[in-house]
């Protein structure tokens, strides 16, 4: 599992709805910042540091972007926030239908684009099969024993498991109305098990199903949403510090993987400080303290983060590998970044609205 996003799930549409009804355009801004950090991490550090993914090296500046993978942590907090907002007064069928139409159509489009590029131009570094493509259409290719056509897809599986947890909560609410607090406390209790429970088959199953590597972020997002909707309360400032502790502890625990993978040192202090900043920023949004950044123009850039996340990685690396001998590397990485932003904008601003019209007709 590689620590990179989108978030991540596709929460852009809900962000737009929230922006219209509650005017929290800042969420879109922070999603774009997180996505940009991930793109720069991939292009300027991840690609050449491990796995021979990219021939374009940026040794002189790459170290400045090595922590960009933490954008995924912010994506998961935002996902918890917007999904908690979306289930307010929403039934299970409506939730599932909404998540399907916002997640899968764009994913399928980007998947096909990526498959075609990799199939014809990716060899020898990138190889794909039609069997792999069919498995990837489900978004649960990991369960089917197939690899991701693009490495960024790993976080979508995490998002689907988060949706499953929310769906179970909605099912329970059909029989007995309970507060979202019960989910928060129960999930937080499970998330704390890794601090005191030895690995076992039962614990491993719980760990996998309840995504305990990342659960603290989703829980924090839910709590931030509660603060936004109802105002801060004492219980929030008991839960949030514990979520922060679990988030930092988990992120620092992944340093061993990072060191082995990239043969480079990662500072636990920088990682911890970055996550603290994420929590503070979303708390300020929840408490409506960042109204100066509350601009409708951020909706557009928020909407393009999902397709940008889905298409930028392997396609970008393939372009680097094809052209690195002919184009200055800084010109090339700049051009490819702008190209990916342009494609993402077309997909989000032109293609997706037409897809949504088809769903409305049905």
């Amino acid at each position: 599992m590689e620590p990179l996003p989108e978030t991540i799930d596709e929460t852009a549409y809900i962000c737009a709805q929230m922006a219209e009804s509650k005017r929290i355009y800042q969420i879109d801004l922070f999603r774009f910042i997180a996505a940009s950090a991930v793109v720069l991490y991939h292009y300027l550090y991840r690609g050449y540091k491990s796995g021979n993914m990219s021939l374009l090296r940026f040794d002189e500046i790459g170290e400045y972007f090595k922590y960009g993978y933490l954008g995924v942590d912010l994506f998961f907090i935002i996902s918890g926030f917007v999904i908690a907002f979306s289930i307010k007064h929403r039934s299970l069928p409506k939730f599932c239908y909404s998540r399907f139409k916002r997640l899968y159509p764009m994913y399928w489009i980007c998947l096909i684009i990526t498959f075609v590029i990799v199939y014809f131009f990716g060899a020898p570094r990138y190889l794909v099969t039609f069997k792999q493509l069919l498995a990837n259409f489900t978004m649960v290719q990991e369960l089917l024993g197939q690899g991701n056509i693009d490495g960024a897809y790993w976080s979508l599986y995490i998002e689907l498991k988060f949706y499953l947890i929310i769906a179970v909560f909605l099912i329970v609410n059909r029989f007995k109305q309970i507060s979202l607090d019960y989910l928060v406390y129960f999930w937080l209790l499970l998330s704390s098990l890794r601090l005191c429970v030895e690995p076992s088959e039962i614990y491993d199953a719980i760990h996998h199903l309840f995504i305990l590597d990342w659960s603290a972020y989703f829980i924090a997002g839910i709590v931030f949403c509660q603060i936004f909707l109802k105002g801060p309360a004492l219980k929030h400032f008991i839960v949030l510090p514990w979520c922060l502790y679990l988030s930092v502890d988990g992120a620092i625990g992944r340093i061993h993987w990072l060191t082995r993978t990239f043969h480079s040192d990662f500072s636990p202090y920088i990682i911890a400080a970055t996550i603290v900043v994420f929590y503070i920023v979303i708390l300020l949004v929840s408490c409506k303290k960042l109204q100066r950044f509350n601009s409708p123009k951020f909706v557009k850039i928020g909407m393009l983060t999902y397709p940008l996340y889905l298409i930028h990685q392997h396609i970008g690396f393939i372009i680097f590998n094809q052209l690195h001998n002919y184009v200055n590397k800084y010109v090339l990485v700049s051009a490819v970044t702008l190209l990916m932003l342009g494609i993402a904008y077309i997909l989000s601003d032109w293609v997706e609205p037409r897809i949504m019209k088809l769903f409305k007709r049905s």
Side-chain angles (χ1 to χ4, degrees), residues 134-179:
L134 291 176
N136 274 248
F137 269 109
T138 68
M139 210 181 285
V140 293
Q141 51 269 16
E142 181 178 324
L143 293 178
L144 302 176
Q146 294 292 321
N148 295 311
I149 284 180
D150 190 289
Y153 297 169
W154 74 269
S155 66
L156 300 180
Y157 183 52
I158 302 298
E159 290 285 346
L160 285 180
K161 288 195 281 187
F162 173 47
Y163 296 166
L164 177 61
I165 292 170
I166 296 297
V168 171
F169 171 77
L170 292 175
I171 291 172
V172 171
N173 266 264
R174 292 187 64 181
F175 300 97
K176 180 178 176 57
Q177 289 292 318
I178 60 174
S179 168

Side-chain angles (χ1 to χ4, degrees), residues 7 11 131 133 142 286 339 346:
T7 119
T11 56
K131 181 180 179 181
L133 174 64
E142 181 178 324
S286 301
L339 174 64
I346 291 171

Side-chain angles (χ1 to χ4, degrees), residues 180-250:
L180 196 57
D181 287 344
Y182 287 100
L183 173 61
V184 167
Y185 301 146
F186 174 70
W187 201 4
L188 189 59
L189 177 63
L190 291 181
S191 303
S192 304
L193 290 178
R194 63 181 171 85
L195 301 176
C196 56
V197 175
E198 293 294 326
S200 66
E201 289 186 5
I202 295 177
Y203 173 75
D204 290 345
I206 294 173
H207 188 279
H208 178 77
L209 180 61
F210 288 94
I211 44 177
L212 300 189
D213 283 331
W214 309 101
S215 54
Y217 296 110
F218 292 113
I219 297 168
I222 293 171
V223 174
F224 285 130
C225 181
Q226 292 178 321
I227 294 174
F228 177 79
L229 292 173
K230 301 178 181 179
L234 178 60
K235 62 182 179 181
H236 300 139
F237 296 100
I238 295 174
V239 171
L240 282 176
W242 189 241
C243 287
L244 176 59
Y245 173 77
L246 292 175
S247 298
V248 171
D249 182 71

Side-chain angles (χ1 to χ4, degrees), residues 306-327:
Y306 185 46
L308 175 64
Y309 166 68
L310 291 173
I311 65 169
H312 81 274
Q313 188 176 196
H314 285 187
I315 294 177
F317 290 153
I318 289 170
I319 296 174
F320 292 164
N321 296 339
Q322 295 286 341
L323 300 179
H324 76 284
N325 285 327
Y326 310 103
V327 182

